[in-house]
């Protein structure tokens, strides 16, 4: 079957680092996306991995291992505005995205 | 450049009523998608379109119909609304490969069916 798993919630302190893991088992794989979604708003694009390895974008980095069906999103120097839900999504045929349920990150002062 | 827009933003329906949600994009994207988002379940694909005049079923298509008569618009219809269709509906669009490969989402439509 098809499955995308990520933790439900994570809490971290302002200035700290948080790593959100995502494991997937899907019938097709053409890349993996991470989106950020603040409450009541639309998802916004954070990163895209299609090859194995680490992609770095400022305070955010994303890693992919296709052989292990595993990705993580690393958020560094956490800020209060990073409190949001983070969505892992696998890209299949025709660009269709299959999403995990999302990880709610709570940043505390 | 407005990106992806959705109308309406909010709607309350009674069971059995019908309505149409409109998604419009001004990025000349080929692909468009309709998702629903429910608590604890993530976004699920309802229908999608790979070009003007074409549509296809996604993961949860039952109870919905779609049309893509113009490239910039993708309509989602509910013929006879049911309480199980209470959800937040997001439209997304995507260009061809390369830098346009990302899906860009509209602001969402919050639908309640009583």
């Amino acid at each position: 079957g098809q499955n995308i798993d990520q933790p439900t919630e994570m809490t971290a302190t302002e200035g700290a680092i948080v790593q959100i893991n995502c494991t997937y088992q899907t019938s097709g794989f053409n890349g993996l996306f991470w989106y950020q979604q603040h409450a009541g708003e639309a998802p916004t694009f954070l990163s895209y991995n299609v090859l194995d390895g680490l992609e770095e974008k400022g305070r955010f980095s994303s890693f992919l291992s296709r052989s292990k069906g595993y990705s993580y999103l690393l958020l560094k120097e956490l800020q209060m505005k990073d409190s949001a839900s983070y969505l892992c999504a696998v890209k299949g045929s025709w660009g269709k995205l299959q999403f995990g349920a999302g990880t709610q990150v709570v940043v505390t002062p | 450049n407005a990106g992806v827009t959705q109308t309406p933003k909010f709607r309350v329906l009674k069971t059995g009523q019908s309505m149409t949600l409109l998604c419009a994009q001004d990025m000349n994207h080929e692909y468009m998608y309709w998702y629903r988002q429910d608590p604890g379940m993530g976004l699920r694909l309802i229908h999608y379109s790979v070009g003007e005049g074409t549509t296809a079923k996604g993961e949860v298509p039952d109870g919905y119909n779609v049309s893509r008569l113009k490239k910039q618009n993708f309509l989602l219809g509910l013929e006879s609304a049911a309480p199980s269709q209470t959800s937040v509906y997001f439209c997304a669009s995507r260009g061809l490969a390369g830098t346009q490969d990302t899906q860009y989402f509209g602001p969402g439509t919050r639908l309640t069916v009583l």
Side-chain angles (χ1 to χ4, degrees):
Chain A
Q2 306 206 81
N3 213 29
I4 300 175
D5 289 318
Q6 50 181 131
T8 304
E9 186 173 309
M10 303 182 75
T11 301
T13 309
E14 200 173 7
I17 298 173
V18 70
Q19 178 175 313
I20 306 168
N21 295 325
C22 173
T23 58
Y24 63 88
Q25 288 179 306
T26 56
S27 58
F29 181 86
N30 291 315
L32 189 141
F33 285 87
W34 285 96
Y35 281 84
Q36 180 189 59
Q37 187 178 27
H38 285 100
E41 297 183 7
T44 56
F45 169 76
L46 284 179
S47 69
Y48 176 47
N49 294 69
V50 63
L51 299 175
D52 291 352
L54 188 68
E55 292 276 345
E56 296 189 82
K57 250 192 197 183
R59 295 189 298 113
F60 294 169
S61 304
S62 57
F63 172 84
L64 176 67
S65 169
R66 290 171 295 171
S67 62
K68 295 182 179 177
Y70 168 69
S71 173
Y72 69 73
L73 179 70
L74 195 69
L75 285 62
K76 293 178 270 192
E77 299 168 19
L78 278 173
Q79 301 175 10
M80 297 301 293
K81 68 178 181 180
D82 297 330
S83 289
S85 183
Y86 292 84
L87 313 178
C88 171
V90 171
K91 186 175 108 173
S93 60
W94 300 110
K96 293 180 290 181
L97 295 181
Q98 186 177 347
F99 284 85
T103 298
Q104 185 66 41
V105 170
V106 177
V107 182
T108 59
Chain B
N1 208 353
V4 182
T5 57
Q6 292 182 232
T7 51
K9 289 187 167 50
F10 302 92
R11 186 74 188 268
V12 178
L13 289 178
K14 294 181 179 177
T15 297
Q17 287 184 319
S18 63
M19 79 164 293
T20 300
L21 284 69
L22 171 63
C23 175
Q25 53 94 4
D26 61 3
M27 296 176 281
N28 200 34
H29 283 170
E30 293 294 329
Y31 300 87
M32 297 186 76
Y33 308 84
W34 274 108
Y35 295 90
R36 61 178 288 174
Q37 185 174 35
D38 302 294
M41 298 190 73
L43 286 95
R44 292 180 292 167
L45 183 65
I46 305 171
H47 284 281
Y48 65 102
S49 169
V50 301
E52 181 179 317
T54 72
T55 63
K57 293 180 180 179
E59 182 186 352
V60 289
D62 294 344
Y64 305 96
N65 56 75
V66 287
S67 65
R68 183 105 181 262
L69 299 179
K70 292 182 179 180
K71 186 177 183 179
Q72 63 268 34
N73 295 337
F74 195 27
L75 278 64
L76 178 71
L78 285 73
E79 289 186 350
S80 179
S84 61
Q85 294 178 305
T86 293
S87 189
V88 180
Y89 292 86
F90 287 101
C91 174
S93 73
R94 165 182 163 257
L96 298 177
T99 58
Q100 297 188 70
D101 199 23
T102 304
Q103 283 192 27
Y104 296 92
F105 286 81
T109 294
R110 281 143 190 82
L111 175 66
T112 301
V113 183
L114 303 175

